[in-house]
């Protein structure tokens, strides 16, 4: 082992130490980048300043995942006779209904959850111009079948189901109004963003690659040190 401590080998040891530090720090940097990007995707937008609806989604656009919960400004006209009640919505431990009306924005319609009600029916319909701020939400997945498509009660807030009730096209999203309509309780926001499984996966793979490089450098040094020690043992015989 004394041969490994000879000054002429110090340069080899220094190269290995530098390589291990560089690989470890670069891997940590990429790992932190992976975590930060996942956190950024899953950020809570509900308290940020509202933006115009058109800045988040267009009439024919798929839902933009980065805008889940984004406050948006909706300007248009309330559609008469468009009220729908979404069942199975809880508020403070009570089961009730979301009250949904359509707002005409250009040639398309945006479903708006105006608030929560303990029962369907008897809620005044809005009329005239619509000007509101609410949280942008993606269409819910199909979880139940509408047993009676002829009534005004639906089992989930699914845009595809609502589209069958109108001749106009619907946006691929809905809005939960931040201020409830007359006689209603503010609806609870139910969907917040989650980071996708493959978000920033490249950063994570780069981190693993750098750490693998460090482990390989350590392995090479260990092999070299072992051969050097064995050579020293042969020379001393």
């Amino acid at each position: 082992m004394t041969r490994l401590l000879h000054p002429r080998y110090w340069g080899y040891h220094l190269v290995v130490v530098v390589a291990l530090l560089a690989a470890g720090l670069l891997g940590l940097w990429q790992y932190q980048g992976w975590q930060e990007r996942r956190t950024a995707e899953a950020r809570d937008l509900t308290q940020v300043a509202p933006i115009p609806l058109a800045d988040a989604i267009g009439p024919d656009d798929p839902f933009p995942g980065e805008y889940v919960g984004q406050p948006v400004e909706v300007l248009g006209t309330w559609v008469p006779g468009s009220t729908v009640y979404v069942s199975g919505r809880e508020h403070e431990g009570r089961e009730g209904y979301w009250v949904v009306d359509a707002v005409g924005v250009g040639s398309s319609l945006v479903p708006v959850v105006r608030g929560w009600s303990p029962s369907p029916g008897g809620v005044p319909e809005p009329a005239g111009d619509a000007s509101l701020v609410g949280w942008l939400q993606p269409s819910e997945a199909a979880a139940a079948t509408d047993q009676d498509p002829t009534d005004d009660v639906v089992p989930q807030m699914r845009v595809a189901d609502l589209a069958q009730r109108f001749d106009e096209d619907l946006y691929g999203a809905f809005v939960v109004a931040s201020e409830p309509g007359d006689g209603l309780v503010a609806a609870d926001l139910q969907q917040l963003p989650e980071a996708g499984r493959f978000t920033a996966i490249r950063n994570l793979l780069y981190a693993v690659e750098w750490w693998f490089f460090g482990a390989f450098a350590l392995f090479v040094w260990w092999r070299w040190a072992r051969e050097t020690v064995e050579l020293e043992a042969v020379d001393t015989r």
Side-chain angles (χ1 to χ4, degrees), residues 6-107:
H6 194 280
R8 67 176 178 175
Y9 294 131
W10 289 357
Y12 295 103
H13 301 323
L14 180 61
V15 169
V16 173
V17 171
V18 171
L20 289 176
L21 285 175
L25 292 175
L26 288 171
L28 182 61
W29 172 56
Q30 291 289 350
Y31 180 76
Q32 290 176 339
W34 173 69
Q35 288 185 316
E36 289 173 359
R37 288 188 60 187
R38 287 177 61 84
T39 300
E41 180 170 314
R43 67 195 187 282
D44 184 356
L45 299 176
T46 57
Q47 301 303 317
V48 304
I51 62 175
L53 177 66
D55 290 352
I57 186 173
D60 299 317
D61 295 341
F63 188 88
E66 69 273 19
Y67 283 120
V68 176
Q70 168 70 50
V72 293
E73 301 170 346
V74 180
L75 300 176
T77 305
W78 293 107
V79 178
S82 63
T83 305
V84 173
Y85 298 88
V86 184
S87 62
R89 304 294 148 156
E90 289 190 0
H91 179 74
E92 297 182 349
R94 299 174 61 193
E95 186 166 319
Y97 301 80
W98 272 358
V99 182
V100 182
D101 282 271
V103 174
V105 179
S107 59

Side-chain angles (χ1 to χ4, degrees), residues 119-161:
S119 60
V123 178
E125 290 189 356
D129 295 336
S131 178
L132 61 95
V133 172
W135 295 289
L136 194 67
Q137 296 283 274
S139 176
E140 295 180 348
T145 301
D146 189 356
Q147 300 297 329
D148 187 1
T150 62
D151 65 9
D152 293 332
V153 178
V154 295
Q156 64 250 327
M157 189 61 191
R158 189 165 178 261
V159 174
D161 292 342

